[in-house]
Amino acid sequence: MALTTDQYLEKIGSFGRYQITLLIFLNGLIFFWFGWPVMIVAFITAEPAWRCVANSSVCQLAGTMKPRHDNYSFRCNISRDQWEFVDDFTSVVTEVDTASPRTYF
């Protein structure tokens, strides 16, 4: 006769300290193994704030434009030499080669 799940757990010692430790360790391992790559995307693709360069004839907005600002996408319509990133924050977004822009299509 085959054992039921409850009978099997009683034979091996039920759900004791070792099983609890193993459960916590493996769940923690899975959290870091699968959770970290998903969360890191938010940090490596973050967009920093930008502002118009001094004495620009095209870009005449005052202040810094952060991602939720009304004029944040204005920089898409002007050339790259008319605006600059505000601080030294680096991400995938700021690592674009601006010296020789290329078109990929």
Side-chain angles (χ1 to χ4, degrees), residues 6-42:
D6 290 332
Q7 291 170 338
Y8 181 74
L9 286 175
E10 281 184 29
K11 269 198 178 282
I12 64 168
S14 191
F15 198 73
R17 197 176 334 155
Y18 174 74
Q19 286 83 6
I20 292 172
T21 305
L22 191 62
L23 178 72
I24 291 170
F25 174 73
L26 291 177
N27 281 335
L29 183 66
I30 288 172
F31 169 75
F32 287 111
W33 190 317
F34 294 112
W36 185 254
V38 172
M39 292 186 306
I40 196 70
V41 172

Side-chain angles (χ1 to χ4, degrees), residues 49-53 59-66 69 84 86:
W50 65 274
R51 68 176 167 234
C52 296
V53 295
C59 184
Q60 302 201 357
L61 300 173
T64 59
M65 311 305 149
K66 295 183 179 179
H69 194 274
E84 63 187 1
V86 173

Side-chain angles (χ1 to χ4, degrees), residues 80-100:
R80 178 63 177 93
D81 60 345
Q82 300 297 312
W83 60 273
E84 63 187 1
F85 288 112
V86 173
D87 54 11
D88 292 335
F89 177 79
T90 57
S91 71
V92 175
V93 175
T94 60
E95 293 299 317
V96 176
D97 182 19
T98 58
S100 59

